Amino acid sequence: MLLIPCPWCGPRAEIEYRYGGQAHVAYPPEPAALTDAEWAAYLFLRDNPKGPFAERWCHAAGCRRWFNVLRDTATHEIHFSYRAGERP
Amino acid sequence: MTRLATGGRIDRSAPLTFTFDGAPYTGYQGDTLASALLAAGVRTVATSIRYGRPRGIFAAGVEEPNALVEVDGEPMATATTVELRDGLTARSLTGRGRLTAPDDQADQAGHDRMHAHCDVLVVGAGPAGLTAALEAGRTGARVIVVDERTEAGGTLLETRDLVGDAPALAWVAAATGLLAELPEVRVLTRTTALGRYDDGYVVAAERRGSRGRLWRIRAAEVVLATGAHERPLVFAGNDLPGVMLAGAARAYANRYAVLPGRRAVVFTTDDSAYAAAAELAEAGLEIAAVVDPRPGGGPDTAFEVLAGHVVAGATGTAEVTGVRVAGREIACDLVLVCGGWNPVAHLYGQAGGRLRYDDDLACFVPEGTAGRCRVVGAAAGEFSLAGCLGEEPRPGPPAAPVWLVPGDEPGYDTHFVDLQRDVTVADIEAALATGMTSVEHVKRYTTAGTAHDQGKTSAVTAVGVISALRGVPMGDLGTTTFRPPYTPVSFALLAGRDRGVLHDPVLTTAMHPWHVARGAVFEDVGQWKRPHHYPGPGEDMAAAVLRECRAAREGVAAMDVSTLGKIDVQGPDAGEFLNRVYTNAFAKLPVGSCRYGVMCRADGMVFDDGVTMRLAPDRFLMSTTTGNAAAVLDWLEEWLQTEWPDLRVRCTSVTDQWAGVAVVGPRSRDVVAALAPGLVLDNAGFPFMTWRETDVPGAGGAARVARISFSGELAYEVYVPWWYGLALWEAVLAAGEPYGITPYGTETMHVLRAEKGYPIIGQDTDGTVTPVDLGLGWAVSKTKDFIGRRSLSRSDTSRPDRRQLVGLLPIDGEESLPEGAQLVEDPDVPVPVPMIGHVTSSYRSAALGATFALALVKGGRDRIGTTVFAPLGDRVVAARVADPVLYDKEGAHRDG
Ligand SMILES: [Zn+2]
């Protein structure tokens, strides 16, 4: 079970969190201006790297905040976490 | 065969009686079942799984492959780790184990769970583990030591090693005494570390008599001092009872004061067996010879050493009676084998640690550190006691392993690699002959290493045999993957107290005691217990639901709706926020009004729906479906925090702050008039889809009443603080008594809404359904943007032949279509018959006097009036496609 550092609450066990997929996939400012293919890419296409991966977690059973984690998908090592809206 | 008169760590003043396969025996406090059986001369304890061959006790610890027993209802335990207790009843397992206990005799021991955090977790309390624990403990660190044995000491309990000039156990006693004085150090014996998980998380099982404790330990650092397991040798007949690991025999003599035979031949490639032989001889065992394949043999010894020779085969049928060495037969009743030692690297492997094959040590050794795990002592390949104690290591001579000993005759049918799985060298030859080269493939093909012992005595041996047969270096082959658990663990221990009602939290409403007293039949909706129906005397479910439905349509009925998810949405931008979240507009909803809203995911698929009240210009009370409340709140938070942090909005769950009762039916206005005397109730004064604050004297005073209908009938929902929920419910029933008010459950609610074609998200939808598919296009704004809007114009979501929600009326109004039934246009065409949809909801309607269903059907709205078919295996049910609104389409009942 991962030990995930919430930027507000500190390190807590994985069961307190909900996973939110790849980080920094912004909602397009003007969805109507996108082609079907561009919109489908926003909806469905995500990176799946082996190695460091910026992903979102929500401290669902804690402070309820969404934040970002840089985790190695091969070793599960968490390098660091940072608040939503921040850049590492 | 012999209990020694002195020595050992048994209590001769505490004799214990037990039975094994029906026969009575005695042993002592401190015995294991295995040591007591050996002391009683029981040689054969099991019958092998495939070939039915006799098998004896082979090891003295968790690595035991043979001696599986059923003990006092526990279906499978290793006799070598079962502590003897008075009255113990054990049975040998013949062939495969069976779960024979009926459900009502399931393990009810009430196991516990503990959570702990520490700076250093030391796994193993042998010399290396105790040394590491002392080192860490003296710094003031919080240390937990776990060890699977009954007391600290590790293999020092099983040898007569010295530390300095004193017995090693004196050092152990001193070390545990020092640890006991350190306030932050905790030593857990009888506790097996089962698995290592991410970020220093270790799960361990502690045995406490018939009960257990599951420890979940989070450690900043894990020190693995797990020791080593002795390796057998692979020769003809090496599975006969009487063939035993040399270190195991040494343990039985030193720890349990038992000699497991009278006359032994030692067959070893490792010096450790010489020490074992010396200690056993001193205890009275006759050592007939030491057979050592190394040309120069081992250390100096008093025994006859046949250096450069091997045991070509063990002889005997029921048990070993001798060995063949260099053309001669040596009589013996014990063959003590040692093929070297394997570091116990299971937890390290689970941490993703790499193992390196060390040619000098002839074993796989952990390399470096991995996942907060550090390996010390024999587990790290440090086999000298001095090295384990942190002193200058004294390495032994380079190892000369022998992986496979050819017999006098060709063939490997009795060369056993995995005693539990009955896997022989012949099986491995067969696997290699098919072209397999990977140890993982050979493991799966032969099942070597897959038994309860997870290959503790067989996995590396199998690699060695492959290496010998293929001529490939061990290091190129590698090991198989290590997976938890390290030793078998019962499901009852893992479950602990999370069983029955404690398995998952149960949520009940303030009115729950009334529902129970009334004899409601409950259903689970999310974690809530909701009344499904209220059977009357002699009524079945169908009769109860028809009665409840009739009351709601013709008189008045009441339902506990407290479980609906409720989210308080506040802030100056709350209206704008809901405008973006719902497919329809909320920003201009007047205070005092409510509106039905639909939410989509970004992909345009319906996610939730519900009615939202505007309480104030900057405050809304959103309702969600019962099972989806938490997911909706997470969803709202996600968008507020990650996409629209500029919006000044805050959300709070208030689901269990407000208890609610729906009062439904043509007479509901009369009931609410009696309940809330101050409320203006005519249509003009209290129109549909508005809400009012009022006084409900019977339920604590202040209440919120909304004119909302999920049935098509005139209806009110009354909300009071949760504390007054039961009072409100009783007040509603009292006010409704003159009108025969009828409590109803979720099944009736489902029927009533289905008759009106109102979908239930999660029942009539499955994450592939858009609002337009559901016929909710009227609730999809054409003018504002909302989450998912762009998706509704994708080519796939705007197809005309998408599955759309329609009603189904079986031609035979007595036929019920099962929910989930597939629908076809023509049941008589050759298979595969194209599917055009499926039934999502199906009921019997009191109002229609027939059965009906809702279904998602391809291009369904264009099929209205046509007939579709549901092939149900034994019969085909025909149904007419209809508009989903089957009752009161013009809405005449809404205003009473
Ligand atoms: Zn937090």
Side-chain angles (χ1 to χ4, degrees), chain A residues 6 9 59 63:
Chain A
C6 170
C9 307
H59 196 183
C63 64

Side-chain angles (χ1 to χ4, degrees), chain B residues 134-370:
Chain B
L134 279 170
E135 189 183 316
R138 281 172 176 145
T139 68
R142 178 170 296 172
V143 179
I144 297 176
V145 184
V146 299
D147 190 279
E148 67 195 7
R149 288 176 170 83
T150 53
E151 55 183 321
T155 48
L156 298 181
L157 296 166
E158 303 170 351
T159 67
R160 291 193 214 163
D161 283 333
L162 301 177
V163 173
D165 297 327
L169 288 179
W171 178 87
V172 171
T176 51
L178 288 169
L179 289 174
E181 286 168 15
L182 295 168
E184 292 293 335
V185 176
R186 175 175 216 164
V187 180
L188 297 170
T189 56
R190 296 185 170 90
T191 305
T192 308
L194 299 171
R196 175 273 171 205
Y197 303 87
D198 289 312
D199 294 328
Y201 194 68
V202 171
V203 175
E206 181 186 8
R207 300 180 301 285
R208 296 159 58 85
S210 62
R211 291 185 175 199
R213 265 185 186 165
L214 194 73
W215 285 82
R216 295 162 175 260
I217 304 167
R218 180 80 73 175
E221 187 189 25
V222 181
V223 177
L224 299 175
T226 42
H229 285 151
E230 195 168 15
R231 237 168 15 218
L233 286 162
V234 180
F235 55 93
N238 65 338
D239 68 324
L240 284 170
V243 178
M244 181 182 276
L245 293 170
R250 188 182 191 183
Y252 285 117
N254 289 320
R255 187 172 173 195
Y256 304 104
V258 173
L259 288 185
R262 292 196 173 82
R263 178 179 157 90
V265 169
V266 179
F267 181 20
T268 181
T269 64
D270 187 88
D271 288 358
S272 64
Y274 286 71
E279 290 175 9
L280 285 158
E282 202 177 317
L285 184 72
E286 182 186 349
I287 304 293
V290 175
V291 183
D292 191 331
R294 294 174 293 182
D300 290 341
T301 175
F303 311 119
E304 181 191 0
V305 176
L306 301 170
H309 288 285
V310 297
V311 169
T315 53
T317 49
E319 56 185 67
V320 70
T321 54
V323 292
R324 291 190 307 279
V325 182
R328 79 184 227 227
E329 175 141 353
I330 306 174
C332 62
D333 64 357
L334 205 53
V335 182
L336 301 180
V337 296
C338 177
W341 295 80
N342 293 323
V344 176
H346 295 67
L347 296 171
Y348 188 73
Q350 292 167 18
R354 297 170 63 86
L355 301 184
R356 167 184 60 85
Y357 186 75
D358 188 305
D359 281 308
D360 285 339
L361 298 171
C363 60
F364 289 99
V365 179
E367 190 167 48
T369 60

Side-chain angles (χ1 to χ4, degrees), chain A residues 1-3 13 18 25-27 31-32 34-36 39 42-44 56 64-66 75-76 84, chain B residues 197-199 201 218 372 602-603 633-634 637-639 641-643 785-787 790-791 793-795:
Chain A
M1 185 183 319
L2 293 172
L3 189 66
R18 196 159 74 78
V25 181
Y27 186 64
L34 302 185
T35 64
D36 270 10
W39 179 249
Y42 161 73
L43 285 180
F44 305 123
R56 301 186 311 164
R64 304 200 50 78
R65 306 226 213 187
W66 284 87
T75 64
H76 293 187
Chain B
Y197 303 87
D198 289 312
D199 294 328
Y201 194 68
R218 180 80 73 175
R372 302 190 185 188
D603 62 5
L633 182 57
D634 280 352
E637 294 282 14
E638 178 176 350
W639 286 87
Q641 293 179 34
T642 68
E643 292 296 344
D785 196 14
F786 55 86
I787 298 169
R790 174 66 184 82
S791 291
S793 60
R794 290 178 63 231
S795 57

Side-chain angles (χ1 to χ4, degrees), chain B residues 19-218:
Chain B
T19 64
F20 178 69
D21 283 345
Y25 298 96
T26 57
Y28 294 113
Q29 188 72 43
D31 263 325
T32 62
L33 175 58
S35 67
L37 287 171
L38 285 171
V42 177
R43 303 269 291 181
T44 300
V45 294
T47 310
S48 78
I49 195 164
R50 285 171 69 192
Y51 303 124
R53 289 169 69 94
R55 292 285 161 76
I57 293 163
F58 188 73
V62 294
E63 69 273 37
E64 170 63 34
N66 286 336
L68 285 179
V69 289
E70 186 186 313
V71 178
D72 294 339
E74 190 182 341
M76 195 180 86
T78 42
T80 50
T81 60
V82 172
E83 288 178 49
L84 199 65
R85 54 182 180 267
D86 204 42
L88 179 140
T89 305
R91 193 173 63 79
S92 62
L93 287 183
T94 298
R96 294 175 171 81
R98 280 172 204 86
L99 274 171
T100 51
D103 282 350
D104 60 350
Q105 289 174 28
D107 184 341
Q108 299 294 348
H111 303 296
D112 275 321
R113 177 178 302 164
M114 298 287 282
H115 293 264
H117 295 77
C118 60
D119 299 307
V120 182
L121 170 66
V122 180
V123 182
L130 290 174
T131 302
L134 279 170
E135 189 183 316
R138 281 172 176 145
T139 68
R142 178 170 296 172
V143 179
I144 297 176
V145 184
V146 299
D147 190 279
E148 67 195 7
R149 288 176 170 83
T150 53
E151 55 183 321
T155 48
L156 298 181
L157 296 166
E158 303 170 351
T159 67
R160 291 193 214 163
D161 283 333
L162 301 177
V163 173
D165 297 327
L169 288 179
W171 178 87
V172 171
T176 51
L178 288 169
L179 289 174
E181 286 168 15
L182 295 168
E184 292 293 335
V185 176
R186 175 175 216 164
V187 180
L188 297 170
T189 56
R190 296 185 170 90
T191 305
T192 308
L194 299 171
R196 175 273 171 205
Y197 303 87
D198 289 312
D199 294 328
Y201 194 68
V202 171
V203 175
E206 181 186 8
R207 300 180 301 285
R208 296 159 58 85
S210 62
R211 291 185 175 199
R213 265 185 186 165
L214 194 73
W215 285 82
R216 295 162 175 260
I217 304 167
R218 180 80 73 175

